[in-house]
Amino acid sequence: MDRTAGKEVGCCAIAHCSIAWHRGGTLFIAMLCTAFIVLFASEASAQCTARDVLRNHLTFKKIPSANRPPIPVRSADAVPVWKTITVGTFANSFALRNALDAAGCGTGDQAEEILARPAFTVSATKTDVELVAVSAAELGFQADTASLADIYARAQQLGFGLAAAEVAPQLRLQYLDQPIGEFLVGMEPIKTWKGVPVILTVANGGAGLVLIGQDGSADAKIPVASRFLFVRSNEAALAKAVHGLDEAAALVQH
């Protein structure tokens, strides 16, 4: 009886609370809910922080590691697909940059500048791109370093093609369980406003996932252990054809 009475008294007390307290309590609860919503939204959108990367390692299906012992490559056709990504999913480069920001992916100053350059474009056609990972050592270079021009020439001789610049930021968004390390995207360098040629690098430096720029000059010295992401030459030719159609369509619309 005492416990029942206590409940009744409690209910009466709550029922007869002042209107002012009720309004204040409602406001407090609303503010608290809003705070939780904001916190949840920020947690849901950020995917590139070190903590998120660890969680992604435990959640995502593991893709084959590209950090295998160097084996000399005889032909691009003999190299298995490392990862397939999708390009052409954003209306323009501005939307792509916003997506990187929303995901909490760090973007270096040079990379940020490259993404804003007119030479950086996105495909108007949604397309899957198969990437292959190969090191300069696997391409046959035996010294400690090799020039970027020589690496590209050897890669193309073996049937590898250069990827579109859009591949780098798209890979950053679609490769959220990257282990510590980095990949240089085999792409045509894009020049900064000062005329400095830059290629893009997708990296996990330990503090989170980032997209950064690297020296893209022909004589840039690259450690032979560095891993590049290429496409196969036939896919590169197809991508150029599609990109040409995209540009033609854009000109017609204007």
Side-chain angles (χ1 to χ4, degrees), residues 48-72:
C48 289
T49 65
R51 182 182 62 181
D52 294 318
V53 175
L54 177 60
R55 183 173 59 221
N56 293 334
H57 275 291
L58 300 175
T59 304
F60 292 166
K61 182 179 178 181
K62 202 69 178 169
I63 64 172
S65 174
N67 295 319
R68 59 185 182 275
I71 301 174

Side-chain angles (χ1 to χ4, degrees), residues 42-53 55-56 60 99 102-105 172-173 175-177 209:
S42 62
E43 288 289 332
S45 61
Q47 302 174 69
C48 289
T49 65
R51 182 182 62 181
D52 294 318
V53 175
R55 183 173 59 221
N56 293 334
F60 292 166
C105 299
R172 178 66 292 152
L173 290 170
Y175 187 26
L176 299 175
D177 58 341
L209 304 179

Side-chain angles (χ1 to χ4, degrees), residues 72-254:
V73 172
R74 304 298 181 188
S75 169
D77 292 334
V79 180
V81 173
W82 169 72
K83 184 175 176 63
T84 301
I85 66 169
T86 304
V87 299
T89 58
F90 293 96
N92 49 52
S93 60
F94 182 76
L96 179 52
R97 296 199 302 274
N98 283 345
L100 289 168
D101 290 339
C105 299
T107 306
D109 291 342
Q110 283 191 323
E112 189 75 31
E113 187 173 348
I114 293 305
L115 296 181
R117 295 289 284 144
F120 180 89
T121 58
V122 297
S123 175
T125 305
K126 188 175 180 180
T127 310
D128 289 338
V129 178
E130 293 182 340
L131 300 175
V132 290
V134 61
S135 70
E138 290 173 315
L139 293 176
F141 294 96
Q142 298 180 354
D144 292 336
T145 63
S147 72
L148 184 64
D150 287 344
I151 292 172
Y152 278 6
R154 180 73 58 83
Q156 291 174 318
Q157 182 182 9
L158 294 174
F160 294 98
L162 298 182
E166 182 188 357
V167 163
Q170 287 279 16
L171 178 63
R172 178 66 292 152
L173 290 170
Q174 298 174 47
Y175 187 26
L176 299 175
D177 58 341
Q178 181 181 12
I180 293 178
E182 65 181 14
F183 290 110
L184 288 78
V185 175
M187 55 176 276
E188 290 285 356
I190 294 178
K191 292 183 178 180
T192 65
W193 295 104
K194 294 182 178 180
V196 179
V198 172
I199 59 175
L200 296 172
T201 299
V202 177
N204 175 2
L209 304 179
V210 297
L211 179 69
I212 56 178
Q214 177 157 326
D215 185 2
S217 58
D219 59 353
K221 296 301 181 182
I222 309 295
V224 297
S226 298
R227 308 199 69 80
F228 283 83
L229 297 178
F230 294 107
V231 297
R232 294 189 175 91
S233 292
N234 55 346
E235 291 186 5
L238 178 61
K240 285 185 177 180
V242 171
H243 185 64
L245 292 175
D246 291 342
E247 290 184 337
L251 289 174
V252 171
Q253 290 178 357
H254 286 79

